[in-house]
Amino acid sequence: MEQSKSSRKVTVEYTDPSGIYTVISEDLQKRLPLRNLYWNSATRPLRSISSLHIELVQAGSSTSSSDPSERVDSVGRHGAAENAEDKDNRPGSGVGVKKERRHQIPGLRQTPYLKIFFLRCSDVESYRANYRKQIREWIKGNTLPTQSTASVNTQGFHDAFEWLIVHVVLPDDGRSISRASTTSKSENQNGLGGSSAVVEKLRADFNGSSKTAVDRVALVQITRGAQTGQNQVSSDGWEDFIAKTKSLILSSFDLRVTQYEEDIKEREAQRNIPGWNFNTFFVLKEGLAKGFESIGLVEDALNGYRELAVGLNTIIEGRDDKEQHREHFKHFTDDLSATLKNALQSEESHNREDRQTVTTNSVTHDRNARENRHILGANILDADRKPFREMILANEISVFDFQCYLFAREASLLLRLANATVPSDDDGSASGAPSDIPSKAASSESQNLLLLAEVCRQAIEFFSAAGRMIRDDLRSSVHPLSKGHTSGSPTTLSIFDGPIEDIIASWTYSACQCILDATNVLSLQTQLQPLLRSLKPTEEGHAHANNYFGRSTREELPRRTSSLPKSTHASPKPLSPDEFPSITSLDAVRLLPPVSSQTGTQELAAQHAELVILKRRIIVSVGDRSTDTSIKRAILAGRLSLSASDLEDISLDDTSSKLGRPEGSAKVSHESAANGIQGRELNHNLRSESSFRQAYEDLTMMALALNVLGGRRRSAESLTKDLAVIRYRLHDYISAASYFRQLSSFYYNNDWTRLEVPMLDLYAKCLKHINRWEDFCRIGLQIVAKTTRRQTLLPTPTELQAQNGPLNVDHYLQEVIDISSSLERPVSTPLHLHFEGVHLDPYIKHLDEEDGFRMSLEVRNIMSAAVEAQGIRVKLVSIEEEQRRDIWVTNQGPDLLQIGLNVIILQSTVMCPAWYRVERIEIRSANIVFTHDATSEASFDRLATSDGIPQLNSKRVLVWPDEKALEARLSLCKTIYLGKPRSIEILISSGRNKVSHGKLSVRACSAGLRLQTAETDVVSRNCLILQKAQAGNIEFGALDAQSNTIFRVPYSIESDLLKIKVRVEVSYTVEGQGYQYSCIGELPIQLPLSVNVQDSFQERSLFSNFKIDTANSMPMRIGDYTMHSTQAFQVALPPLCSAPLTIFAHQPLSLVAKIRQGRPETVDTQTSLPPDRMLMLRIKYACVEHEISTAVEDALTVALINSDFPDLSRLLVTVLGKSLRSSLSLQDLETIGLLGEIQTNSFEQQLWQPVLNGLHPDRREKVAKLLASWQADNSATALPQAIDSRNVLELMVPFEIPEIPIVVTGRLETFNCGGGPGEGRFAAMDHSLLAELSLSYSRHWSKSTDVGSEKYALNITYEVHASPEMWLIGGQRKGHFSAKEGEVRRFPIILLPQKTGHLLYPLVEVHATKTRKSHRQSKDREVEPDDIVSCEMDYLDQGDSILIVRDLSSSTVSLESSGPGGGAWLVESRSRSER
């Protein structure tokens, strides 16, 4: 029978009568396997075959022969070459092929696809005489009738093949041809003359005569190298030979496929005909699948086997209506039946012998198991371990064998697609390529891990069904094995149940290991090794891990061997607690990054984990049936639902039946109990308690690592639980605690209470044993919470509660509280796990006769006992960005929280007006803190109860001070001195409090603001500053009740800021009780006024024009201004016509001050400026916006004080002021400034809605009505006539009288013009005006004595200029002169007007320079900057004008129409000079 590995190649038969094959075999193997074949079928899409392995078989030899001398395959292994001169290889000998009878079932034999005849012939004459007849007989004897006759018999196409004649030419053949033939000399030199003639003769004799005939003759020429002397092959001949070989193989393959498909279709149609046999149909269809496999189309072959598997399952499960189809299968499997028989005989022998004999028989039994490993599934992937196809044809195959064969074939094809390595008994491995091809193991990068994972998945599904099939198979074989029992009776079945289950376990265990070995890859090992080292860093653990890896994939490395005998019965050393993972090692395993990102690694690891878990389940199930009490103890220790009290010590010598076994069964050891167990590894794992525990832990850790690598977190956590329970039962509390710690969060997040509570109980006991009290308190609180909250959801007790009784929750709670008192730091636990119905009243109430507020908190205790709370507090966090402040509202003493609803009063002495939200709730009992973070939305849902209690974040808390409480306000200093540091003022109103002492903390909230608290001063002088050395803190003394104290703090800024923010906190003590008030103020630091000055000098007076304007376009009210005289200057200011005076944008106030030198009547003695040149302008003003706010706030304050809500005055007035400042526009402010009143009914009603939401509903409606009534009664509020003193600001503007060296006085006097001194001057057009410019200078406004002295000479340059469209200037319009102080110099000028009308006099511009008198001035000398003297011009005629009229005194006009022009015409005119 053909082996399955033969179907992986295409057989090619060759005939070599000339013995030439040994010469060309080496060159032929270099071109194998065949590459890049394309099969195009009429019924299938185009198929691409990357490589095709062929097996060359010499004619006359059996294809199944294992003798290497008779075969050669596509990788070059062939037998010893036969002698070319052997008489058996001479022409005519051994050519004829013995006719073989074709089997009636097609596809059963492995037949060649191509037959080749190798010919060596020197010339045509030799060919005709010796070879032509021989070739003709070879073709006749080796071709099918369909290929040699015209009549086509389609049934012969199952073994269709093609034939090819290959003519081989050697180098020696060319010289013999040149001597014997008459061909040309050039042809003889190349040795091609005779060969070409022979090839042409072959084609003429054996190729068809039609144009479409296939060329079946090929020429291969071998030449000798010129230098090396070695044979060289002509590439042209080989390429033609290889191309024809591929074409002919595909041609015969296509014929076979077509014939198989037609036969399969015909047999499928006969399914319902009586006598139809599925086994025969299976062999037929499998022939097609094997053909696909041999040609390299593995996917098509796999689909064929899957279709056969579906057909087999249809018959087995009875879905096919023909019951007779199942009669073609054997009812049981012979080798399984024999195994069961041996197990029963072994049991009988063990019952008659003592323990020593039992041990000897056990060793013998293990030896027998090793000899029959193929029965137990160790070679499940080997489809050749039995003659399956012969058994199928003979209808002697069982359902179990049939399914095993199909699974082996499908798995082998998948492994071949995955390029994997399959273990076998022959050579240790069989690759996806043919097993007899010597090649290195495929690298993990070239393997398809997804297909390997698919193999594992199908194996797991098959093993589940195989267990049922083995059980049914063995039960079917019970009748011939049982003696004295009725077949099928319950007694009979109960006798065989134990051995049957053991056989199933043995088979499944070995099959799992076989699949693991077959699908193991190096990349998976590389990633698993660090995981296993983290889980179990011991050499023994590494040795057990190697059992999973199976054979080493690095076959090229030498293996170490030893001559010492190996001990197979040595008990492994129990592990110490130090050898198990630490608390952090399991985290490291889960967080370990993968070494490789090869596709499919995760899927393959997950499937391997399933196989390892199946192996673990097998040893547990076998151990559970064992009579060994130590194995029983190990199994019971791994079950979470049993307590330590269930583990009883059972004496092996006790004759009592504690485990439900017959008397005397306790003396039976484990080896005698599990007689059906076969396999060295499984027997070793079940030999003792330590072996079982070691194997169980190793398999669990391996599965854990594989699940982590496969991304199955929940499965990994479940396996961690198993390890934790085992370590706890073995009193390894440190290792158990490390596992339990990882599991606590997993069960909590998945809400698995039934498993979580027992697990937490064990975890707490572990922590208690290792004295980790902080973790014990935390876990104990979780147990209390889980137990109390889930009692209503779990009316039926769990398995743990049914066996051990309910947990003592009260004991846990009290123990945790007692232990926590000795801890260094508190233990925090979520509040919602122990309390429900948490509700905080969002409306505050002020304390009576003291500052602060109180709130009420409702909480329901759902624990089984009352809890004494030493501290209960709620954290309020401001929701306003500018007011980031926290307030803790706490209880005043210990409160006993009874079971059920409790109401706690909380209060706070910290006042920081703002909107708040609840962020945190804490209840502290001893050192246990029950906390709730209100920022997490998930916690809101936990605190919400079925009673509809609102969530904590649904309400905001409004905090505001009482009207009698202490208050602090910020403002800018009311007096602003330009040029000096500015300050802020902090007003502290003590209210009803008599403060003993306090501390003022000032913090800058703006970038670049620096507060100089060390220079703080008290303005009111009614309080003493005790200490101010600490930055930002000012300690002050006592304050009387109802007193106001102002602290002035200087500041500086490092950047341009328009506003600054300052936080103020006042901590004060009243009668020993501490209080705190905090607020944030935003102050605009931009000056609201801008002052500009322009000076105009005269000889004895100075006129300064001050322009006072708004800097921010907001209306301002000027109350007063003053400028005091000094010792050097006398100042005169015009009085303010109406006070206050309102100025607007682009409408400044112009103030002209007359300043004269001399001793004044009043002198400003308060100024610290230099008395000679400095003056001070003081302006008192107020912003219209502040006036509006003060007026409206005062009106609302009066209304609230006279109402039932005086405590709301600070709250509502503050809200009104902020709303006014944010809602009034510049246009509104200008309108109010002009009209002098404000319309309060223009405010929207929504102004009050936000603040009303913060009041209690009982007061909200009443306050709303009060505000609406006040707004209606005060629809128009008038601004006060006088500025309110609270809003008066004072701006002090210092300025210096400039020093001018000289003041030039000039006058332009005209002579020939009309008009007098008191009348307007006029002149005639076209007449020149005679004028005289007089200039003089004075040094009255300068202290310098250099100018005009004996050392320096003063030169004055003047220039008269005017617009050429108005004047033409003649005479000395430009010149310079030198004169003494007070001396008048005159210069004549002629003016010629250019147009009529009022014309301004020309302007005069002067410049002054000084020179040393000893220095001779040159005209070309440039004036240096040091020589220029600053001067001012007092031009007396500046701004004066003269009327220019036409030069006519009278005109006579004629109006007669008879004139020359026919109309009016000028008769006469006289000028003014003629008058």
Side-chain angles (χ1 to χ4, degrees):
M1 181 64 65
E2 295 291 334
Q3 300 295 325
S4 63
K5 60 185 178 181
S6 301
S7 62
R8 300 174 182 175
K9 304 177 183 178
V10 171
T11 303
V12 176
E13 182 182 287
Y14 69 92
T15 301
D16 186 18
S18 304
I20 197 63
Y21 177 76
T22 57
V23 180
I24 66 173
S25 60
E26 182 178 356
D27 296 321
L28 177 60
Q29 300 310 319
K30 295 179 181 179
R31 290 161 175 82
L32 297 179
L34 303 179
R35 304 287 182 182
N36 301 327
L37 287 81
Y38 300 95
W39 175 54
N40 191 6
S41 175
T43 59
R44 297 174 182 267
L46 180 65
R47 295 288 195 271
S48 175
I49 305 173
S50 59
S51 62
L52 178 60
H53 296 269
I54 65 173
E55 181 181 15
L56 291 170
V57 181
Q58 189 174 8
S61 63
S62 174
T63 58
S64 61
S65 175
S66 59
D67 187 1
S69 63
E70 297 179 357
R71 297 193 303 184
V72 62
D73 58 15
S74 59
V75 292
R77 295 191 300 183
H78 57 85
E82 297 182 0
N83 193 342
E85 298 179 357
D86 195 322
K87 62 180 180 179
D88 295 335
N89 289 333
R90 293 177 181 176
S93 63
V95 178
V97 179
K98 181 180 179 181
K99 292 290 184 179
E100 295 184 8
R101 180 181 177 183
R102 186 174 63 87
H103 200 280
Q104 62 179 354
I105 301 178
L108 192 60
R109 294 189 306 112
Q110 186 78 16
T111 58
Y113 283 71
L114 178 64
K115 295 186 177 182
I116 302 177
F117 189 94
F118 289 107
L119 173 65
R120 178 187 178 187
C121 184
S122 58
D123 52 19
V124 177
E125 288 76 8
S126 176
Y127 161 72
R128 290 175 178 174
N130 300 323
Y131 292 103
R132 180 164 59 181
K133 181 179 179 181
Q134 184 180 2
I135 295 174
R136 185 176 289 112
E137 292 178 356
W138 175 79
I139 294 175
K140 182 178 180 181
N142 289 278
T143 56
L144 296 176
T146 57
Q147 295 171 290
S148 59
T149 62
S151 61
V152 178
N153 182 10
T154 57
Q155 292 296 328
F157 285 161
H158 293 106
D159 297 328
F161 62 89
E162 295 288 349
W163 55 272
L164 179 65
I165 302 174
V166 181
H167 183 208
V168 182
V169 179
L170 298 179
D172 296 337
D173 296 341
R175 289 190 293 271
S176 62
I177 293 173
S178 63
R179 292 192 301 267
S181 65
T182 58
T183 55
S184 62
K185 182 178 180 180
S186 61
E187 292 179 349
N188 291 336
Q189 291 177 353
N190 294 330
L192 295 176
S195 62
S196 299
V198 171
V199 170
E200 294 299 330
K201 191 62 178 175
L202 286 171
R203 290 173 178 169
D205 292 341
F206 301 106
N207 282 344
S209 60
S210 63
K211 295 182 179 180
T212 60
V214 179
D215 188 6
R216 301 178 183 274
V217 179
L219 173 63
V220 175
Q221 178 187 3
I222 299 178
T223 60
R224 188 178 302 277
Q227 297 178 357
T228 62
Q230 298 179 353
N231 295 338
Q232 295 182 350
V233 183
S234 173
S235 61
D236 295 337
W238 277 107
E239 291 179 358
D240 179 65
F241 170 52
I242 296 299
K244 290 179 180 180
T245 301
K246 294 193 293 185
S247 175
L248 294 176
I249 289 176
L250 291 178
S251 176
S252 58
F253 174 72
D254 186 67
L255 291 175
R256 294 190 180 192
V257 171
T258 303
Q259 183 63 57
Y260 271 110
E261 289 179 342
E262 293 178 357
D263 291 350
I264 291 171
K265 184 177 181 181
E266 179 182 357
R267 296 292 180 88
E268 185 71 24
Q270 299 174 358
R271 177 182 290 270
N272 296 327
I273 299 177
W276 188 83
N277 191 343
F278 175 79
N279 295 345
T280 306
F281 175 76
F282 177 87
V283 174
L284 175 63
K285 193 168 183 178
E286 188 189 19
L288 177 61
K290 285 183 172 292
F292 283 126
E293 182 184 5
S294 64
I295 207 69
L297 301 177
V298 184
E299 293 88 348
D300 295 85
L302 183 61
N303 292 333
Y305 277 106
R306 287 174 176 172
E307 293 173 0
L308 290 173
V310 173
L312 178 61
N313 291 332
T314 302
I315 293 177
I316 294 174
E317 296 174 3
R319 291 195 298 266
D320 200 330
D321 295 336
K322 303 299 181 179
E323 296 291 337
Q324 65 271 18
H325 293 328
R326 289 185 289 177
E327 298 178 357
H328 300 144
F329 303 105
K330 196 173 182 180
H331 296 291
F332 60 89
T333 306
D334 294 336
D335 47 5
L336 289 179
S337 178
T339 303
L340 179 59
K341 183 178 180 180
N342 294 334
L344 295 176
Q345 293 175 356
S346 176
E347 182 177 5
E348 294 178 358
S349 62
H350 283 310
N351 291 334
R352 293 190 303 265
E353 298 175 359
D354 56 6
R355 186 180 306 275
Q356 182 178 2
T357 307
V358 168
T359 306
T360 306
N361 291 338
S362 177
V363 176
T364 306
H365 182 69
D366 288 341
R367 187 182 302 111
N368 295 333
R370 289 194 299 269
E371 295 174 357
N372 301 302
R373 286 192 309 128
H374 63 279
I375 301 178
L376 302 179
N379 296 327
I380 186 63
L381 296 179
D382 187 6
D384 299 329
R385 66 182 183 275
K386 289 184 181 180
F388 287 107
R389 302 190 72 193
E390 291 183 352
M391 296 165 62
I392 293 173
L393 285 177
N395 296 334
E396 291 294 331
I397 189 170
S398 64
V399 174
F400 173 70
D401 278 344
F402 213 144
Q403 293 283 17
C404 288
Y405 176 69
L406 277 175
F407 171 74
R409 294 297 297 134
E410 292 183 27
S412 299
L413 292 176
L414 285 174
L415 291 173
R416 180 176 176 181
L417 286 175
N419 196 21
T421 301
V422 186
S424 64
D425 288 339
D426 297 336
D427 54 0
S429 65
S431 63
S435 60
D436 52 353
I437 299 175
S439 61
K440 293 183 179 180
S443 62
S444 59
E445 290 77 8
S446 63
Q447 295 175 352
N448 191 333
L449 303 189
L450 291 176
L451 290 178
L452 295 180
E454 178 65 18
V455 173
C456 297
R457 187 192 64 81
Q458 292 186 10
I460 295 172
E461 295 179 356
F462 173 71
F463 295 161
S464 178
R468 295 189 296 269
M469 287 187 291
I470 295 175
R471 186 178 295 107
D472 296 340
D473 193 298
L474 292 176
R475 287 180 177 178
S476 299
S477 64
V478 165
H479 178 65
L481 294 179
S482 61
K483 297 179 181 180
H485 299 284
T486 305
S487 176
S489 64
T491 304
T492 303
L493 295 179
S494 62
I495 294 175
F496 298 108
D497 280 346
I500 289 176
E501 296 301 325
D502 291 342
I503 292 174
I504 295 174
S506 301
W507 184 92
T508 308
Y509 193 91
S510 301
C512 288
Q513 188 60 44
C514 179
I515 298 299
L516 289 173
D517 293 341
T519 58
N520 188 27
V521 293
L522 182 60
S523 61
L524 187 61
Q525 297 180 24
T526 305
Q527 298 186 54
L528 277 176
Q529 287 173 356
L531 293 175
L532 295 175
R533 283 195 298 267
S534 300
L535 281 172
K536 198 169 186 180
T538 60
E539 296 181 359
E540 187 176 356
H542 292 172
H544 283 272
N546 292 332
N547 293 335
Y548 159 75
F549 293 137
R551 300 180 178 89
S552 175
T553 57
R554 304 180 63 181
E555 300 292 345
E556 67 275 7
L557 296 180
R559 298 182 179 180
R560 179 179 297 178
T561 59
S562 175
S563 60
L564 298 177
K566 297 183 180 179
S567 176
T568 59
H569 300 281
S571 176
K573 179 182 177 182
L575 297 178
S576 63
D578 297 336
E579 296 175 344
F580 279 85
S582 62
I583 295 179
T584 59
S585 64
L586 199 58
D587 288 333
V589 170
R590 279 202 288 260
L591 299 177
L592 195 65
V595 179
S596 173
S597 59
Q598 186 177 358
T599 304
T601 302
Q602 189 173 14
E603 290 78 3
L604 180 60
Q607 296 300 326
H608 274 210
E610 294 293 335
L611 290 172
V612 174
I613 292 175
L614 181 58
K615 293 177 62 177
R616 192 189 70 160
R617 190 181 302 120
I618 290 171
I619 66 172
V620 171
S621 63
V622 175
D624 200 12
R625 296 190 302 272
S626 173
T627 58
D628 192 342
T629 56
S630 61
I631 301 295
K632 284 283 189 179
R633 183 182 296 107
I635 295 175
L636 293 177
R639 293 180 179 174
L640 182 61
S641 60
L642 297 179
S643 63
S645 61
D646 295 323
L647 304 180
E648 302 180 12
D649 293 331
I650 303 176
S651 175
L652 296 180
D653 298 329
D654 192 0
T655 58
S656 61
S657 177
K658 291 188 177 182
L659 295 177
R661 300 283 296 181
E663 183 177 357
S665 60
K667 297 182 179 180
V668 182
S669 65
H670 166 64
E671 287 82 355
S672 63
N675 290 285
I677 297 299
Q678 300 187 23
R680 175 183 176 185
E681 180 181 350
L682 188 56
N683 274 292
H684 175 77
N685 294 338
L686 298 172
R687 184 172 52 189
S688 62
E689 179 185 1
S690 59
S691 299
F692 172 82
R693 179 170 53 82
Q694 183 70 65
Y696 184 85
E697 290 177 347
D698 289 340
L699 291 174
T700 303
M701 289 183 182
M702 181 61 64
L704 173 60
L706 288 169
N707 275 313
V708 171
L709 189 59
R712 295 186 174 184
R713 182 175 178 270
R714 293 192 175 185
S715 299
E717 300 291 352
S718 178
L719 293 170
T720 306
K721 180 261 298 181
D722 297 341
L723 292 175
V725 173
I726 290 178
R727 301 316 302 170
Y728 172 78
R729 300 306 183 193
L730 298 176
H731 307 292
D732 185 6
Y733 301 112
I734 296 178
S735 300
S738 67
Y739 289 123
F740 281 127
R741 186 183 66 86
Q742 308 300 325
L743 295 171
S744 58
S745 60
F746 172 75
Y747 285 105
Y748 172 77
N749 295 331
N750 293 277
D751 202 15
W752 291 355
T753 308
R754 286 183 176 270
L755 294 177
E756 182 183 7
V757 173
M759 183 271 300
L760 290 176
D761 184 27
L762 296 180
Y763 186 21
K765 293 177 181 179
C766 291
L767 296 174
K768 191 174 182 179
H769 281 92
I770 61 179
N771 298 328
R772 292 173 55 183
W773 301 114
E774 183 176 346
D775 292 336
F776 171 77
C777 293
R778 179 174 53 84
I779 299 303
L781 291 172
Q782 292 186 19
I783 295 175
V784 172
K786 289 294 180 180
T787 305
T788 56
R789 291 184 63 88
R790 299 301 178 180
Q791 285 179 352
T792 57
L793 300 179
L794 300 176
T796 59
T798 62
E799 184 180 0
L800 177 64
Q801 294 173 349
Q803 297 178 4
N804 301 333
L807 291 176
N808 191 352
V809 181
D810 298 342
H811 171 71
Y812 256 120
L813 179 61
Q814 188 61 39
E815 186 178 8
V816 166
I817 294 176
D818 296 341
I819 292 177
S820 66
S821 302
S822 60
L823 297 179
E824 296 180 357
R825 54 184 181 180
V827 178
S828 178
T829 181
L831 178 68
H832 67 272
L833 298 178
H834 309 275
F835 298 91
E836 285 184 350
V838 179
H839 173 67
L840 179 68
D841 187 5
Y843 309 109
I844 69 170
K845 295 180 181 180
H846 293 101
L847 301 179
D848 299 333
E849 300 303 327
E850 61 177 322
D851 297 351
F853 63 94
R854 65 177 181 269
M855 305 178 71
S856 62
L857 176 66
E858 296 181 1
V859 61
R860 180 180 291 108
N861 183 7
I862 62 174
M863 292 182 288
S864 59
V867 177
E868 182 180 3
Q870 287 78 22
I872 302 176
R873 60 179 188 169
V874 176
K875 183 180 181 181
L876 304 178
V877 179
S878 173
I879 62 176
E880 300 176 5
E881 292 295 334
E882 62 180 12
Q883 184 79 358
R884 304 301 297 176
R885 179 60 191 268
D886 303 338
I887 296 179
W888 285 96
V889 189
T890 62
N891 64 333
Q892 298 304 305
D895 291 318
L896 184 62
L897 301 181
Q898 299 290 347
I899 301 175
L901 186 62
N902 299 269
V903 180
I904 304 101
I905 302 301
L906 310 176
Q907 71 178 34
S908 174
T909 58
V910 177
M911 178 56 61
C912 183
W915 281 98
Y916 291 86
R917 60 176 174 83
V918 180
E919 184 183 68
R920 189 178 181 86
I921 299 177
E922 291 184 1
I923 300 177
R924 181 176 58 84
S925 177
N927 223 359
I928 302 298
V929 181
F930 304 91
T931 62
H932 166 67
D933 187 4
T935 58
S936 175
E937 296 183 359
S939 61
F940 298 153
D941 299 334
R942 299 189 181 101
L943 287 176
T945 63
S946 58
D947 299 334
I949 296 178
Q951 298 174 356
L952 293 178
N953 67 336
S954 61
K955 294 292 184 180
R956 297 185 302 171
V957 180
L958 178 61
V959 177
W960 77 95
D962 189 11
E963 81 280 1
K964 297 180 181 180
L966 182 140
E967 183 184 16
R969 293 184 180 181
L970 282 87
S971 63
L972 291 175
C973 184
K974 296 186 179 298
T975 301
I976 301 175
Y977 199 114
L978 294 183
K980 287 188 176 182
R982 302 177 63 179
S983 304
I984 61 173
E985 292 182 352
I986 303 173
L987 172 63
I988 298 180
S989 299
S990 60
R992 59 170 170 248
N993 303 293
K994 187 176 181 179
V995 180
S996 60
H997 63 276
K999 183 175 69 173
L1000 175 64
S1001 299
V1002 186
R1003 298 289 185 270
C1005 299
S1006 299
L1009 175 62
R1010 298 291 181 267
L1011 298 175
Q1012 302 170 7
T1013 55
E1015 301 179 6
T1016 303
D1017 191 13
V1018 180
V1019 178
S1020 57
R1021 303 298 180 184
N1022 58 351
C1023 179
L1024 297 178
I1025 296 179
L1026 303 180
Q1027 184 180 0
K1028 57 181 179 180
Q1030 187 177 0
N1033 297 323
I1034 304 164
E1035 296 183 5
F1036 57 89
L1039 292 177
D1040 296 334
Q1042 306 300 330
S1043 63
N1044 296 329
T1045 303
I1046 299 177
F1047 293 88
R1048 183 175 295 172
V1049 181
Y1051 72 91
S1052 61
I1053 56 176
E1054 299 177 356
S1055 59
D1056 295 335
L1057 298 176
L1058 299 179
K1059 297 180 180 180
I1060 60 174
K1061 288 184 179 181
V1062 179
R1063 179 190 295 274
V1064 174
E1065 293 183 1
V1066 182
S1067 301
Y1068 56 99
T1069 303
V1070 178
E1071 296 180 357
Q1073 178 66 38
Y1075 299 89
Q1076 187 177 15
Y1077 181 88
S1078 176
C1079 66
I1080 288 183
E1082 185 177 35
L1083 305 175
I1085 60 175
Q1086 183 182 10
L1087 289 177
L1089 290 179
S1090 64
V1091 180
N1092 297 321
V1093 62
Q1094 184 177 4
D1095 296 328
S1096 178
F1097 285 89
Q1098 293 185 359
E1099 184 178 358
R1100 294 293 178 180
S1101 301
L1102 170 64
F1103 293 91
S1104 296
N1105 186 7
F1106 294 92
K1107 184 178 180 181
I1108 304 174
D1109 197 359
T1110 62
N1112 50 11
S1113 301
M1114 298 182 64
M1116 309 295 295
R1117 302 181 75 185
I1118 306 298
D1120 191 14
Y1121 53 81
T1122 58
M1123 184 184 299
H1124 296 280
S1125 301
T1126 63
Q1127 297 178 359
F1129 300 99
Q1130 183 179 1
V1131 181
L1133 284 178
L1136 189 62
C1137 57
S1138 60
L1141 178 64
T1142 305
I1143 60 175
F1144 301 92
H1146 309 295
Q1147 296 180 3
L1149 171 64
S1150 181
L1151 176 63
V1152 179
K1154 182 179 180 181
I1155 303 173
R1156 297 176 61 86
Q1157 291 185 352
R1159 183 174 298 276
E1161 298 178 357
T1162 59
V1163 178
D1164 185 8
T1165 59
Q1166 298 179 359
T1167 179
S1168 59
L1169 297 176
D1172 50 354
R1173 313 292 304 178
M1174 297 300 297
L1175 294 177
M1176 180 72 68
L1177 175 63
R1178 301 187 179 188
I1179 305 174
K1180 294 183 178 180
Y1181 66 97
C1183 298
V1184 175
E1185 181 183 15
H1186 297 168
E1187 289 285 287
I1188 295 172
S1189 300
T1190 302
V1192 178
E1193 290 174 1
D1194 290 345
L1196 180 59
T1197 302
V1198 172
L1200 291 174
I1201 291 177
N1202 296 329
S1203 66
D1204 297 335
F1205 310 103
D1207 58 323
L1208 300 178
S1209 59
R1210 286 190 180 180
L1211 172 64
L1212 298 178
V1213 168
T1214 303
V1215 172
L1216 179 61
K1218 290 182 179 180
S1219 301
L1220 284 175
R1221 287 188 289 270
S1222 61
S1223 61
L1224 292 177
S1225 62
L1226 292 177
Q1227 185 178 359
D1228 296 334
L1229 293 176
E1230 291 178 355
T1231 303
I1232 296 172
L1234 291 173
L1235 300 179
E1237 65 177 10
I1238 178 174
Q1239 301 294 330
T1240 57
N1241 56 5
S1242 62
F1243 299 154
E1244 297 181 358
Q1245 189 65 25
Q1246 288 77 9
L1247 165 67
W1248 309 106
Q1249 193 60 38
V1251 68
L1252 291 178
N1253 292 335
L1255 301 179
H1256 197 277
D1258 297 339
R1259 308 179 67 188
R1260 188 180 304 163
E1261 185 176 356
K1262 297 178 181 180
V1263 175
K1265 291 181 180 180
L1266 174 64
L1267 293 175
S1269 176
W1270 170 83
Q1271 192 168 344
D1273 296 339
N1274 299 270
S1275 59
T1277 302
L1279 293 178
Q1281 294 296 329
I1283 300 178
D1284 195 326
S1285 60
R1286 293 172 294 178
N1287 299 322
V1288 174
L1289 302 175
E1290 185 177 8
L1291 178 63
M1292 302 181 67
V1293 184
F1295 67 95
E1296 183 181 5
I1297 302 299
E1299 181 179 355
I1300 303 300
I1302 61 173
V1303 176
V1304 180
T1305 303
R1307 183 179 182 86
L1308 185 63
E1309 184 179 1
T1310 57
F1311 300 104
N1312 56 341
C1313 61
E1319 302 177 357
R1321 298 181 180 182
F1322 64 90
M1325 185 70 177
D1326 298 331
H1327 289 272
S1328 60
L1329 293 178
L1330 299 178
E1332 186 179 58
L1333 176 63
S1334 58
L1335 298 174
S1336 64
Y1337 73 92
S1338 172
R1339 293 187 292 109
H1340 184 72
W1341 297 97
S1342 175
K1343 295 182 178 180
S1344 176
T1345 58
D1346 293 342
V1347 180
S1349 62
E1350 297 180 356
K1351 185 177 181 181
Y1352 292 95
L1354 181 64
N1355 296 323
I1356 300 177
T1357 303
Y1358 74 91
E1359 181 180 3
V1360 181
H1361 57 84
S1363 174
E1365 297 178 356
M1366 298 176 62
W1367 299 98
L1368 291 180
I1369 304 174
Q1372 295 185 3
R1373 59 186 301 271
K1374 179 187 297 187
H1376 64 89
F1377 66 93
S1378 296
K1380 297 180 179 179
E1381 182 180 2
E1383 180 182 359
V1384 179
R1385 300 293 300 270
R1386 304 180 186 277
F1387 304 96
I1389 297 176
I1390 300 176
L1391 301 177
L1392 182 63
Q1394 298 298 306
K1395 62 179 182 179
T1396 59
H1398 289 278
L1399 302 182
L1400 295 175
Y1401 281 107
L1403 298 177
V1404 179
E1405 183 178 356
V1406 296
H1407 299 281
T1409 59
K1410 64 178 180 179
T1411 57
R1412 293 181 179 271
K1413 292 183 177 180
S1414 60
H1415 179 72
R1416 180 177 297 178
Q1417 186 175 359
S1418 174
K1419 294 183 179 180
D1420 300 334
R1421 173 181 174 271
E1422 296 182 357
V1423 179
E1424 297 180 359
D1426 295 340
D1427 297 339
I1428 299 176
V1429 179
S1430 176
C1431 64
E1432 289 287 338
M1433 176 69 181
D1434 182 17
Y1435 186 32
L1436 300 180
D1437 292 318
Q1438 185 174 3
D1440 291 346
S1441 63
I1442 183 171
L1443 178 62
I1444 304 299
V1445 298
R1446 292 187 177 276
D1447 189 17
L1448 295 175
S1449 61
S1450 63
S1451 298
T1452 303
V1453 180
S1454 174
L1455 300 178
E1456 296 181 359
S1457 60
S1458 59
W1465 51 282
L1466 180 63
V1467 177
E1468 181 183 12
S1469 63
R1470 294 183 180 182
S1471 63
R1472 294 181 180 273
S1473 60
E1474 296 176 355
R1475 185 177 55 178

